Amino acid sequence: MILLCVALSAGCAAPAERDAPEDTAVDSQAIECGKDCILAMVNKQLALMGEFDNDAEFDASLRELVAVGPAVVPVVVGVYKEWSVSASPDPTVPARPGEMRWRAAHLLGLLGFRDGIDPLNAIATSPLPEPGKDEHLFADEYRVRLRAIVGLERLHAADELKAIHSAGDLLRTPAAASLYALGIDVGGIKLVDARRALAEDLADAKDYNPNLGRPAQPDKPGDRKFKVTPRTDTPSTAR
């Protein structure tokens, strides 16, 4: 299976896709903060993930969290488990549980602490719900697991990604893409320049042709005249 691997998408809104700022320290010193203080900071960060045009505040808030140190990780994991702890920026439009878990999983990767590997791996390898029972729930949970895969890639968790790939389920290809990004080619991935691919794209005569067996179609749009014949098998609606 060939994956057009321009970038691994986790399928979420643009504001939450921002990378961690390059300098993640605050005055190069750790910030002393208790559990309640950390929880408030985490809630703020998760809320910022749902807002637009706030890059400066988003980056500053993330730097403060990173400066607290690895103690942030178990707090984020707790929020992941208790998704309703964090409120949506707009109280009239509450975020779905899956959205809040997505944000928490994303934050675990953004923080950059190795302590985040185990919880991200647990998220990525947890069983998916049955798609036939609730398609929306399945879609949410699949997106959460994709985000966990990206987090593992960010933390260079190659062993965990290899195990996920070997499991051979729906996350096999995303795990292969993340491994490829880390310089480990497990097959099934091909890096393609999208602009070049589109420029060189040629029609394949073997592709399904809906006009097969029909007269040649006009070269220019609008060349063919259409004639609509009224149906006689339905009652008239005219009065």
Side-chain angles (χ1 to χ4, degrees), residues 226-238:
F226 293 89
K227 181 179 180 181
V228 179
T229 303
R231 293 184 59 176
T232 59
D233 59 344
T234 56
S236 174
T237 58

Side-chain angles (χ1 to χ4, degrees), residues 170-191:
L170 290 174
L171 295 176
R172 177 182 177 86
T173 300
S178 284
L179 285 167
Y180 190 92
L182 295 177
I184 304 172
D185 189 354
V186 292
I189 300 298
K190 182 179 180 181
L191 188 62

